[in-house]
Amino acid sequence: MWNADKIKSTVASDKIVVFAKGTRMQPMCGFSARAMDILSSYGKPFTVVNIFDDPNIRPALVSFSQWPTTPQVFVAGELLGGSDTTLEMHESGELKKKIEAAFAS
C-alpha cells in the first residue's frame, strides 16, 4: 500500500524518480511525457511510478511532497517540481548539474 513512508523510500532508493500519469512507454498526459523526454535525454536510468497503478499513490504523494500536481520529478531525493520546472532547469543547465551530482555519489 502506498503511503508517505513508501513514497519516501521510493524517492530515496533511486537517483531519479518521476511520479507520472502513465508509463515511460505510454505517458497519459503531455506534461508527464515532456518530463520523461527531458530526463531521457540525459541517458541516465530513472524510475517512473504511474500514479494510476494504485489509487493510494496520488494522495500519499501530495501528502509527502506538499505539491498538488503531477508529474513530480525527484533527483537525489529532492523534489524539483513538475514538467515546467524540469524544462526550465534543463534549459538553464541546472538539471544537468543535479543529475551529474546524483550519479557522482
Side-chain angles (χ1 to χ4, degrees):
M1 168 131 161
W2 284 88
N3 57 33
D5 287 337
K6 186 167 181 181
I7 300 286
K8 183 178 181 178
S9 172
T10 301
V11 167
S13 68
D14 293 313
K15 296 181 189 300
I16 304 173
V17 179
V18 183
F19 289 87
K21 293 178 179 172
T23 65
R24 190 182 310 213
M25 300 308 288
Q26 190 173 13
M28 298 176 101
C29 87
F31 296 111
S32 292
R34 180 169 63 180
M36 290 186 277
D37 286 347
I38 291 167
L39 292 171
S40 292
S41 75
Y42 291 95
K44 301 291 187 188
F46 62 93
T47 298
V48 177
V49 177
N50 180 358
I51 66 163
F52 295 136
D53 282 347
D54 181 320
N56 295 307
I57 296 173
R58 185 172 158 75
L61 179 63
V62 170
S63 174
F64 173 77
S65 67
Q66 299 299 304
W67 187 275
T69 61
T70 53
Q72 292 188 21
V73 177
F74 292 82
V75 175
E78 175 189 359
L79 172 64
L80 301 184
S83 67
D84 291 344
T85 305
T86 302
L87 178 60
E88 290 170 11
M89 293 178 77
H90 172 65
E91 290 174 340
S92 74
E94 186 179 352
L95 182 59
K96 181 179 181 181
K97 291 177 188 173
K98 287 192 176 287
I99 289 173
E100 287 175 350
F103 282 89
S105 59

